[in-house]
Amino acid sequence: MSNNPWQRALSQLQKTLELTDTHPDLHHRLKEPDNVVEVNVPVTMDSGETKTFRGYRVQHNNMRGPYKGGLRFHPQVDLDEAKALAFWMTMKNAVIGVPFGGGKGGIEVDPKELSGGELERLTRNFARELAHVIGPEKDVPAPDVGSTAQMMHWIADEYSKHVGEDAPAVVTGKPVEHGGSEGRTEATGYGGGYALEAILVKLGKETGTVAIQGFGNVGLYFAHYAASRGFKIVALSDSKGGIYAPEGIDVSAAETYKKGTGTLLGCAGTDISNEEILALPVDILVPAALENAITKENASHVQAKVILELANGPTTIEADDVLKERGIVVIPDILANAGGVAVSYFEWEQNRAGERWAKDDVLARLKEKMEMAAAKVWNESIEKNITLRDAAYVVALRSLGEVKQG
Ligand code: NAD
């Protein structure tokens, strides 16, 4: 089986269809994205030369509402990856119960290599290229790996110029002062924490030691939440490598250290690699970086009892089989990291109603949504004696099937 994310998405779809009684038409609708938009984005660099970047927007499905999903700014963005990520958004939005379909996009660029001005011109030009296919009722992008709240504001600004009126609901994940929601920045990490606690209760487990691969938006806020709830964070890593300190890591100190030095290396305990972090003797392993982190090769070395997939697609299909055989519980991405899109939905609602909700209110609503979704997925897995991943897809497909029949 290839690790091509789109092939994995299709094989998961096929597997889920065999577990449900959904209509074959639904399979046909879901096995290809509705639309794929590819654009070339020219940008005047600071040097005066013009460079062209390749961008995508995949609109997978809108049966439950406007296409919804992030824009990734990364050197390895490609179309099959974007198709898979868009498919996962369709499924995730159905599991968490927000009235959105699935979309995803991105641009092939290493944002760290661009100046602030170049990044702004690139983002604004990308927004202009996409302006005819996005919109508050059509397709609502959000941040993802390599993109930020500020970039979402630039997109909303360009789109508003395009339609001739203020249209903040065209994107979510904006800065709070530009129509963003309180709590959106923390939402995916905190939401993962709420889902983890809900599943641990079902498993009869409590807190434990945690290793987190990926210390960006998602990994950082998950670490803060987990630490505040009594979990012991013993390992952290980012693209440059990580640290392991069995006595526990002070998350705020690690955050400050990384801000100052650009790395986690040398911050506490022992330096480790991104491969080593996956095999540590911990209770909970949290992949929060990129796809295909847990593979057939390293799955047999995982010592954690529970894996919380905060990244999208961090476990290959073969690795999933190994983990299942070894009795390791995987809380699947389409449940675990749905907190981001849940609060994106709250942001979209606030923009459309002209409201501003307090952070406590947003987080309370998020917790409720995550716990409801976790309970649904758990119950399905017990009823059918299937993994939480298969159960999450069954819940999603059933929800999509209901729309089709209605
Ligand atoms: P980010 O860009 O803020 O952070 C990514 C982190 O991963 C960085 O710390 C980076 O150094 C690290 N990283 C990159 N390559 C790595 C590697 N090979 N090994 C270890 N670490 C590596 O991105 P993010 O928003 O935190 O997203 C992380 C994951 O969560 C992605 O899979 C994304 O699709 C998913 N996700 C994000 C959101 C959201 O709201 N931001 C929502 C749902 C899912």
Side-chain angles (χ1 to χ4, degrees), residues 357-393:
W357 304 348
K359 188 165 174 174
D360 285 354
D361 187 16
V362 170
L363 293 178
R365 292 179 195 228
L366 170 63
K367 189 162 191 273
E368 195 187 326
K369 266 205 169 308
M370 294 304 296
E371 287 175 349
M372 267 176 58
K376 263 195 196 172
V377 170
W378 175 266
N379 292 341
E380 194 68 47
S381 85
I382 296 296
E383 205 173 290
K384 287 202 158 60
N385 192 23
I386 54 179
T387 63
L388 291 175
R389 187 184 315 283
D390 289 342
Y393 278 92

Side-chain angles (χ1 to χ4, degrees), residues 85-393:
L85 288 162
F87 168 85
W88 289 326
M89 286 306 298
T90 301
M91 296 297 151
K92 187 185 306 185
N93 291 332
V95 169
I96 195 71
V98 294
F100 290 135
K104 200 81 181 191
I107 197 150
E108 278 173 23
V109 63
D110 183 350
K112 288 186 210 139
E113 287 180 358
L114 266 54
S115 70
E118 288 168 340
L119 208 51
E120 177 168 356
R121 292 193 290 280
L122 173 65
T123 309
R124 286 184 180 276
N125 291 355
F126 190 29
R128 279 200 293 273
E129 294 292 338
L130 292 183
H132 63 292
V133 297
I134 59 175
E137 309 297 331
K138 221 193 252 182
D139 183 350
V140 185
D144 191 66
V145 176
S147 53
T148 61
Q150 175 62 55
M151 287 150 88
M152 296 306 115
H153 168 58
W154 292 330
I155 295 173
D157 192 42
E158 282 307 315
Y159 180 81
S160 297
K161 284 183 208 159
H162 174 81
V163 294
E165 61 181 13
D166 200 22
V170 65
V171 282
T172 58
K174 300 177 291 290
V176 172
E177 65 277 19
H178 291 297
S181 177
E182 294 286 353
R184 174 62 184 88
T185 311
E186 299 89 339
T188 307
Y190 280 29
Y194 301 149
L196 173 66
E197 288 185 308
I199 297 294
L200 287 182
V201 168
K202 302 281 188 192
L203 291 169
K205 294 179 195 281
E206 288 180 1
T207 62
T209 53
V210 182
I212 307 171
Q213 186 197 55
F215 198 50
N217 169 273
V218 175
L220 171 70
Y221 285 101
F222 171 75
H224 277 303
Y225 178 76
S228 78
R229 300 286 297 166
F231 291 85
K232 192 197 271 187
I233 314 299
V234 295
L236 294 172
S237 74
D238 66 17
S239 57
K240 296 186 179 139
I243 49 170
Y244 175 45
E247 66 281 8
I249 296 169
D250 176 336
V251 177
S252 297
E255 181 183 2
T256 309
Y257 182 93
K258 187 180 160 160
K259 265 191 196 135
T261 62
T263 177
L264 285 163
L265 298 175
C267 163
T270 320
D271 288 351
I272 52 167
S273 70
N274 266 310
E275 202 53 34
E276 286 169 322
I277 197 167
L278 302 173
L280 292 174
V282 292
D283 298 312
I284 298 148
L285 174 63
V286 185
L290 293 173
E291 295 92 64
N292 298 340
I294 305 176
T295 62
K296 184 175 67 178
E297 287 72 33
N298 60 30
S300 54
H301 303 141
V302 170
Q303 296 192 59
K305 298 281 170 291
V306 175
I307 296 179
L308 178 72
E309 292 187 334
L310 289 187
N312 285 308
T315 310
T316 67
I317 287 194
E318 293 93 335
D320 225 18
D321 292 340
V322 175
L323 298 173
K324 184 179 167 191
E325 226 162 76
R326 298 186 57 220
I328 296 171
V329 175
V330 178
I331 307 175
D333 47 6
I334 61 169
L335 168 65
N337 69 30
V341 78
V343 175
S344 276
Y345 167 58
F346 299 155
E347 179 175 334
W348 184 75
E349 278 213 315
Q350 289 172 78
N351 289 161
R352 290 179 352 136
E355 291 175 0
R356 297 189 74 83
W357 304 348
K359 188 165 174 174
D360 285 354
D361 187 16
V362 170
L363 293 178
R365 292 179 195 228
L366 170 63
K367 189 162 191 273
E368 195 187 326
K369 266 205 169 308
M370 294 304 296
E371 287 175 349
M372 267 176 58
K376 263 195 196 172
V377 170
W378 175 266
N379 292 341
E380 194 68 47
S381 85
I382 296 296
E383 205 173 290
K384 287 202 158 60
N385 192 23
I386 54 179
T387 63
L388 291 175
R389 187 184 315 283
D390 289 342
Y393 278 92

